[in-house]
Amino acid sequence: MAVIRVGLIGMGRHGMRYAQHIMRDVQSMELYAVCRQDPLRGATFAREHNVRYYREYLDLLGDPQVNAVVVATPPRLHERICTTAVTAGKAVLVEKPMACNTREAINIVETTSRTGGLLMVAHTMRFNAVVQALEQRIDEIGAIHTISLSHRLEPPERDWRDDFAQGGGGAILNSGIHLFDLLRHFSEDEVRHVYCEASRIVYEELEDAFVATMRLRRSKIQCVIDVARYTGGRSGRVELVGETGQLMGEIEHGYGMIIRERRVTPLDITAQPHTVLSALQAFAQTIRDDVEPPISAVDGYQAVEIAEACYDSASSKQPVEIEADDDDEPVDDWDDC
């Protein structure tokens, strides 16, 4: 395949980032078609950039010239678009969260597996330069016993983030999902135990803040994740506490450090690549090489499963256990942690 012809479904603020990167920065991709519910804006963009315009995503997916699709719609639409797209033989890159609940996520996973399709989830924080720098140094701090992740964001400009009918959830699903994926990525383990408290500060309908403690299935790592989407600033902290040192990073402001005894050594973070661009490049490489994507539909499901457990815990005000897969070997001596 010389050039990957991409259909972009969803042209809001985030979708436009994908459009610009496909047109300017990814040589192996061509923005071939776009889908937007607003016909005036959609048709105007298509005319200005010489691409096809479809108001309905089914029409875009029916175009035989489209090789791959990027799904950047509100999460409530992800299940139907993704399952239809992989069934139509299109490679799919879907924005996080992959789905609003585990039922939808399982359907996407099973449809992708049954059709032999390619689906990658855009957990773009994995491509953050600070995250990658911490990952490269993780063996230098010994066995990890604590992981702490936090994200602070300003209230959203888009109404759907406070609209259950479109977003499927608030800060847990649409912001915390990044951190749930990072927790799995850094620990190389799955979450077993969740206790979560959520609150609403400025949102009218959905939660805009939460704090969750988690324990993992095969290790004794204790984990804390918290998100505040109501503040007048943005920050993101990653802290990995090991037996021989600590790694700390600030994902929004691009710096990190390794701490041993009383010595603090800055990490060499010379570049801050755009995470959306990096995700697109990884997606294109996956298509060209015909290999498994770096962030699979199963990864997307696992993150959604953690989010669902957080909602269950916050609602019941009780800890929630996530059921183990058959091949998991859980740690039994939690009382000794």
Side-chain angles (χ1 to χ4, degrees):
M1 185 183 300
V3 177
I4 301 166
R5 294 183 295 274
V6 178
L8 173 62
I9 303 176
M11 297 189 67
R13 181 177 178 183
H14 204 50
M16 289 300 296
R17 293 191 182 106
Y18 281 99
Q20 295 300 323
H21 284 304
I22 293 170
M23 291 188 296
R24 293 186 320 215
D25 305 319
V26 187
Q27 294 183 353
S28 60
M29 285 183 161
E30 171 193 350
L31 185 62
Y32 182 82
V34 296
C35 175
R36 186 169 192 167
Q37 285 295 294
D38 185 328
L40 178 59
R41 292 184 178 181
T44 299
F45 178 92
R47 184 172 58 253
E48 291 176 349
H49 297 281
N50 194 30
V51 301
R52 294 193 177 188
Y53 167 69
Y54 294 101
R55 184 172 183 180
E56 302 299 332
Y57 75 87
L58 289 173
D59 294 329
L60 183 148
L61 295 178
D63 188 330
Q65 297 301 312
V66 173
N67 308 127
V69 296
V70 173
V71 182
T73 65
R76 276 293 180 195
L77 300 174
H78 287 181
E79 179 193 16
R80 70 184 76 165
I81 295 174
C82 289
T83 54
T84 305
V86 295
T87 301
K90 314 298 186 185
V92 177
L93 176 65
V94 57
E95 255 299 319
K96 57 79 194 167
M98 184 180 77
C100 293
N101 54 55
T102 55
R103 177 191 59 78
E104 295 177 358
I106 289 170
N107 190 23
I108 294 173
V109 171
E110 291 181 344
T111 303
T112 302
S113 176
R114 183 176 65 253
T115 61
L118 188 160
L119 186 142
M120 175 176 161
V121 185
H123 280 292
T124 53
M125 202 172 283
R126 287 202 198 183
F127 300 100
N128 178 277
V130 174
V131 168
Q132 294 182 342
L134 296 176
E135 185 179 5
Q136 292 170 4
R137 305 291 292 272
I138 201 167
D139 291 338
E140 299 179 29
I141 61 171
I144 296 175
H145 293 288
T146 302
I147 297 178
S148 181
L149 309 171
S150 72
H151 209 188
R152 312 278 184 252
L153 304 101
E154 57 273 34
E157 298 177 2
R158 288 159 290 177
D159 292 340
W160 68 261
R161 290 188 181 273
D162 190 25
D163 181 356
F164 181 79
Q166 297 188 71
I172 291 173
L173 185 65
N174 288 294
S175 298
I177 200 83
H178 270 307
L179 305 185
F180 305 151
D181 180 69
L182 280 190
L183 174 59
R184 297 182 61 248
H185 186 59
F186 279 125
S187 68
E188 298 182 334
D189 202 348
E190 303 299 341
V191 171
R192 177 192 182 191
H193 173 103
V194 173
Y195 179 73
C196 179
E197 294 183 353
S199 58
R200 189 172 66 246
I201 308 299
V202 299
Y203 278 19
E204 295 182 1
E205 180 178 356
L206 302 175
E207 81 286 348
D208 54 15
F210 75 92
V211 178
T213 58
M214 302 181 183
R215 286 180 174 173
L216 305 181
R217 189 160 299 281
R218 296 183 297 274
S219 69
K220 296 182 179 181
I221 299 175
Q222 294 180 303
C223 313
V224 180
I225 293 179
D226 68 287
V227 169
R229 199 177 181 104
Y230 57 78
T231 184
R234 182 169 289 210
S235 64
R237 177 179 51 82
V238 176
E239 184 177 7
L240 309 174
V241 184
E243 289 185 0
T244 61
Q246 303 164 49
L247 280 166
M248 299 178 65
E250 176 31 82
I251 58 178
E252 290 288 348
H253 301 285
Y255 63 85
M257 64 193 74
I258 186 167
I259 302 171
R260 298 190 188 90
E261 298 179 345
R262 296 179 180 272
R263 299 191 306 276
V264 177
T265 305
L267 299 181
D268 183 16
I269 304 172
T270 57
Q272 186 70 12
H274 198 291
T275 54
V276 169
L277 172 58
S278 297
L280 277 169
Q281 291 170 332
F283 181 51
Q285 189 70 41
T286 297
I287 295 172
R288 289 198 304 270
D289 294 346
D290 192 23
V291 296
E292 290 296 315
I295 310 170
S296 68
V298 173
D299 291 322
Y301 161 77
Q302 297 285 5
V304 171
E305 184 179 48
I306 298 169
E308 189 167 89
C310 285
Y311 281 117
D312 290 345
S313 177
S315 176
S316 67
K317 302 186 186 305
Q318 297 291 328
V320 169
E321 298 288 326
I322 298 178
E323 185 177 349
D325 294 330
D326 292 339
D327 57 351
D328 281 342
E329 298 179 2
V331 174
D332 294 324
D333 53 343
W334 292 100
D335 292 340
D336 297 333
C337 292

